[in-house]
Amino acid sequence: DGRRGNQLDINLTVTTLDTHQSIDVIALLDSGCTGSAIDADFVKKHRIATQKLPVPIPVYNTDGTHNSSGPIDEYVELIVKIKNHVERLVLAVTNLGKSSIFIGHEWLQFHNPSINWKEGTIMFDRCPETCNYHFQPTDPESDSDTPDYDPKAHLEEGDRLFCLDYKAYLMPGRADIRS
């Protein structure tokens, strides 16, 4: 099974923002790891675009010594899907050894999922209201019969779209209206 003390293996899918490449991976959910990270070799293998950090982040081992891989100086931003939970996530790029992705304590604290450590299951029943990112990549050039996406439906030349950030609208004194 996927349980090891304060760690749990979970199936997830990562999707790149630039190419929309989706990759299924087993990640390590680790409450003992401070932050979330992705393995540098995994990033290279899948040609995932990275971004440089303005200031490198030192990495320490559990015994307090500096990690031999050196500081973290780049990161990736990906769409991460765990079961039906989808979000945009920033992952530090570093050498993780046998794991491709670590999901750490800060993520667990933010989402506060229900975890059944005996069964090795996770349920997103206490996510904060701000956790509302949903992503469904579509390719307008494809001939797929996706029922949710029809680029020609209801729009004619010269039509304008009205978008309202309803959550901001409901907050007193804050609205974001674009046309």
Side-chain angles (χ1 to χ4, degrees), residues 44 55 89 131 134:
K44 287 176 193 160
V55 178
L89 189 62
C131 182
H134 300 285

Side-chain angles (χ1 to χ4, degrees), residues 9-86:
D9 288 329
I10 56 171
N11 294 314
L12 57 82
T13 302
V14 295
T15 303
T16 60
L17 299 177
D18 54 354
T19 65
H20 303 290
Q21 173 190 12
S22 290
I23 307 158
D24 293 327
V25 63
I26 296 174
L28 184 66
L29 189 66
D30 186 354
S31 62
C33 181
T34 307
S36 297
I38 189 167
D39 185 65
D41 289 337
F42 181 86
V43 169
K44 287 176 193 160
K45 176 183 174 184
H46 295 286
R47 296 186 173 123
I48 299 171
T50 63
Q51 296 183 45
K52 288 285 184 194
L53 288 167
V55 178
I57 302 168
V59 179
Y60 297 94
N61 299 318
T62 54
D63 64 3
T65 61
H66 280 278
N67 188 287
S68 62
S69 300
I72 295 169
D73 60 359
E74 57 186 355
Y75 67 96
V76 299
E77 194 168 356
L78 300 169
I79 303 300
V80 176
K81 180 179 182 193
I82 304 170
K83 294 188 170 193
N84 291 326
H85 184 275
V86 182

Side-chain angles (χ1 to χ4, degrees), residues 102-150:
F102 280 1
I103 302 295
H105 183 264
E106 95 294 337
W107 183 91
L108 286 164
Q109 190 173 28
F110 179 75
H111 293 286
N112 196 24
S114 293
I115 300 173
N116 183 326
W117 294 96
K118 286 183 181 181
E119 299 294 323
T121 59
I122 183 169
M123 188 168 58
F124 295 94
D125 54 347
R126 298 183 298 228
C127 279
E129 195 172 308
T130 57
C131 182
N132 61 357
Y133 190 85
H134 300 285
F135 178 77
Q136 184 174 9
T138 56
D139 181 2
E141 303 298 321
S142 76
D143 292 331
S144 70
D145 294 329
T146 307
D148 295 338
Y149 181 74
D150 180 2

